[in-house]
Amino acid sequence: MADDSIAVVDLERCQPDRCNYECANFCPPNRTGKECIVTREERFEEDEPYQGQPEQISISEEICLGETCGICVEKCPFDAIEIINLPQELEETATHRFGENAFALYGLPAPEPGQVTGVLGPNGIGKTTAVHILAGEMAPNLGQWADEPGWDAVIDYYRGTAVQDYLQAVADGDLSVARKPQYVDHIPDQFDGTTADLLGGTDERGVLDQLTERLSLEPVLTQSIGDLSGGELQRVALCATLARDAEFYFFDEITPYLDISQRMTAARLIRELADDGERSMLVVEHDLAILDLLCDTLHIGYGEPGAFGIITTPKSVRNGINEYLAGFLETENMRIRPEAIEFDAHAPRDVGARSTLLTYPEMEKTYGEDGFALTVESGEIHQNEVLGIVGPNGIGKSTFAKLLAGSIEPDGDSDDIDVRISYKPQYIETDDPIRVDAFLASTTDRFGESYWETEVARPLQLPRLYERQLPDLSGGERQRVAIAGCLSKDADLYLLDEPSAHLDVEQRVRATRTIRRFAENNDVTAMVIDHDIYLIDLVSDRLLVFDGEPAIRGHADEPTGMRDGMNAFLADLDVTFRRDERTNRPRINKPDSQLDREQKRSGEYYYT
């Protein structure tokens, strides 16, 4: 194989007990007597390290003919093999490779004191691996997975680059590091106690009281960590990380489960800590508006998820995001996506009168004598529309969804809602070891049909997950399966609560297009609750806006048009968006800036 190609074997999909080694039997080099594809037991001596089971295959990248052949890729019944040509401009040495025919990462971000460095890219591209390396939790092996070279060789390789001094400090143990984990819902599995117990051991800078107040954590300080919601866990993780006294801070996804106001608070706290000039921040994030607001420089991650990832040199934040949305990296002269992600500068035009799917009555729901109280005005949901639902956390959006779905009852007497509803909840938890294909087949009679595969499964990138079990999936993978499971049921109304959580930018766009296309092609209605303003803008025909006082009272008027809805929602949050001149991409205005004041005076908070 050429030096610019790699072979990747997905060991979770390679199942030699269920195949006849078609990959090896049809491999042209094998048929000429060469050992290109053999079992791992045949490839390695007993004292040599290898991943996977002895019966699983190993591909010699020196012998393989590369992508020009591809016979093994086509013959594998479990889609476990990828033969990939790397970009010609890529340097030959990987930063880290996880093993024989395993994922390879090329390049690293370069944190700078007093700056916030952002990393943007698809899931499975190596962003978290880069964070682990920079946090000193693993040493890069320069692709030499069988005989790791050690830190001296790593430092020598990166000599003269922007990241040399940083890696030298990591290797010498001279850096103090604080890192926020990606999946905050795992925190209760690692800590048993109250919020105050957890945070009390992190207050190394003496700022815990200030942080808990700004992150609105006082009401949950006495609660058990296991009883917190996803948004509360996210804010606790942010607080614990920011309270530490470190030189380098790593934040792996700061926005899941947070509303836009909480996201902006988190961004401001990180920005303020960086502005003291002594500390460096690295943020891996999929919310483009928050990255734009927060970061000084941006690295783009691209490649083939699960196979290889490339981290670019730093770019300006505006240019980096615009290039990523365009799908073309100008400095690298590299197309990373066949089509651009585009935004409209103006609210969607009136699509004309639509028939009414249902008229829901005025509803109230109160939890306990002094608990949260929700009031919903009566309203109409139209046939064949996507209704976006927006509002702060703790304001009653999920409660409204459960009222419609019938999983909870409103106060007093209420008319039954006579439509079939399919509901995807906010939090997706399961210990059921069922395989993904079996789970999806249990939700629909259409599983495997051409239309379902083309319109739902493939856009959500599900076929490669079919052989996996639900508990083994990552947060983003489980989210995509849950979206498909919701859309697979026979219903009139599809209710999706926060479908963007743990999805990368491209997956969010695919999910958005899948939901819209599904509603249009099947003459059904979808309701989407989400905090990602970009997703809500792309997916919605109208908006239902919730306001009130989080955790105390919530209120929803009847659904309204996009312009009026966005203005009402963002006015309540005191946030305005401007438009990028080149792409029409929404960008958050700095509070009290000239544009912020002008738009507030004109009453145009989003569409300008």
Side-chain angles (χ1 to χ4, degrees), residues 167-320:
L167 292 177
Q168 184 68 63
V170 172
D172 294 342
D174 292 339
L175 283 179
S176 55
V177 176
R179 184 170 73 86
K180 189 203 82 68
Q182 179 180 14
Y183 297 115
V184 296
D185 46 338
H186 293 170
I187 293 176
D189 299 331
Q190 303 164 1
F191 183 86
D192 185 16
T194 67
T195 303
D197 293 335
L198 187 153
L199 294 177
T202 66
D203 191 18
E204 298 171 354
R205 298 196 298 121
V207 295
L208 187 59
D209 290 343
Q210 175 188 347
L211 289 172
T212 54
E213 179 182 357
R214 292 184 64 180
L215 289 167
S216 303
L217 289 174
E218 295 99 327
V220 302
L221 288 176
T222 59
Q223 292 186 26
S224 169
I225 286 293
D227 294 334
L228 301 188
S229 69
E232 290 164 344
L233 285 171
Q234 187 70 266
R235 284 178 283 139
V236 167
L238 283 164
C239 184
T241 307
L242 290 164
R244 294 196 176 279
D245 187 11
E247 295 168 282
F248 294 91
Y249 293 77
F250 298 91
F251 298 89
D252 204 345
E253 293 194 29
I254 64 174
T255 62
Y257 309 124
L258 299 186
D259 62 43
I260 185 171
S261 179
Q262 293 167 339
R263 294 177 184 200
M264 291 185 67
T265 297
R268 287 167 182 158
L269 287 170
I270 295 170
R271 181 72 260 171
E272 290 168 11
L273 188 56
D275 285 343
D276 69 7
E278 301 296 326
R279 309 170 197 272
S280 298
M281 311 285 156
L282 182 69
V283 177
V284 175
E285 183 51 60
H286 299 301
D287 187 316
L288 300 182
I290 294 301
L291 272 179
D292 194 12
L293 177 71
L294 174 61
C295 297
D296 297 294
T297 59
L298 186 68
H299 296 263
I300 303 298
Y302 67 99
E304 185 71 26
F308 76 96
I310 302 169
I311 306 295
T312 69
T313 54
K315 301 173 179 287
S316 72
V317 178
R318 177 177 177 270
N319 287 342

Side-chain angles (χ1 to χ4, degrees), residues 37 107 120 145 169 247 295:
I37 302 180
L120 170 64
W145 63 273
E247 295 168 282
C295 297

Side-chain angles (χ1 to χ4, degrees), residues 242-441:
L242 290 164
R244 294 196 176 279
D245 187 11
E247 295 168 282
F248 294 91
Y249 293 77
F250 298 91
F251 298 89
D252 204 345
E253 293 194 29
I254 64 174
T255 62
Y257 309 124
L258 299 186
D259 62 43
I260 185 171
S261 179
Q262 293 167 339
R263 294 177 184 200
M264 291 185 67
T265 297
R268 287 167 182 158
L269 287 170
I270 295 170
R271 181 72 260 171
E272 290 168 11
L273 188 56
D275 285 343
D276 69 7
E278 301 296 326
R279 309 170 197 272
S280 298
M281 311 285 156
L282 182 69
V283 177
V284 175
E285 183 51 60
H286 299 301
D287 187 316
L288 300 182
I290 294 301
L291 272 179
D292 194 12
L293 177 71
L294 174 61
C295 297
D296 297 294
T297 59
L298 186 68
H299 296 263
I300 303 298
Y302 67 99
E304 185 71 26
F308 76 96
I310 302 169
I311 306 295
T312 69
T313 54
K315 301 173 179 287
S316 72
V317 178
R318 177 177 177 270
N319 287 342
I321 292 177
N322 286 348
E323 288 179 18
Y324 186 79
L325 291 174
F328 181 76
L329 304 181
E330 296 178 359
T331 303
E332 292 75 15
N333 193 30
M334 177 63 58
R335 177 150 296 281
I336 61 174
R337 191 186 316 107
E339 57 186 21
I341 299 171
E342 298 177 340
F343 296 89
D344 292 326
H346 304 286
R349 294 181 176 86
D350 186 0
V351 294
R354 297 187 182 187
S355 58
T356 299
L357 173 67
L358 73 92
T359 301
Y360 57 85
E362 180 178 321
M363 293 182 285
E364 294 184 358
K365 181 65 179 180
T366 303
Y367 291 92
E369 186 174 339
D370 298 316
F372 175 77
L374 171 66
T375 302
V376 179
E377 305 297 335
S378 64
E380 290 185 351
I381 300 175
H382 297 161
Q383 186 76 33
N384 194 23
E385 78 168 339
V386 179
L387 179 65
I389 302 180
V390 295
N393 275 334
I395 209 71
K397 302 184 303 297
S398 295
T399 299
F400 173 66
K402 293 174 183 177
L403 287 169
L404 285 185
S407 57
I408 60 174
E409 295 292 329
D411 300 338
D413 296 330
S414 180
D415 297 333
D416 291 335
I417 296 174
D418 189 22
V419 295
R420 299 168 300 167
I421 295 176
S422 178
Y423 174 49
K424 185 201 81 68
Q426 181 179 13
Y427 305 115
I428 306 160
E429 299 178 357
T430 181
D431 294 323
D432 187 356
I434 187 173
R435 281 184 12 167
V436 170
D437 53 0
F439 166 76
L440 292 173

Side-chain angles (χ1 to χ4, degrees), residues 586-601:
R587 306 178 68 189
I588 298 176
N589 288 321
K590 291 183 178 180
D592 206 35
S593 65
Q594 180 179 345
L595 275 175
D596 183 58
R597 294 194 302 269
E598 287 178 358
Q599 288 181 225
K600 286 175 180 176
R601 282 196 297 268

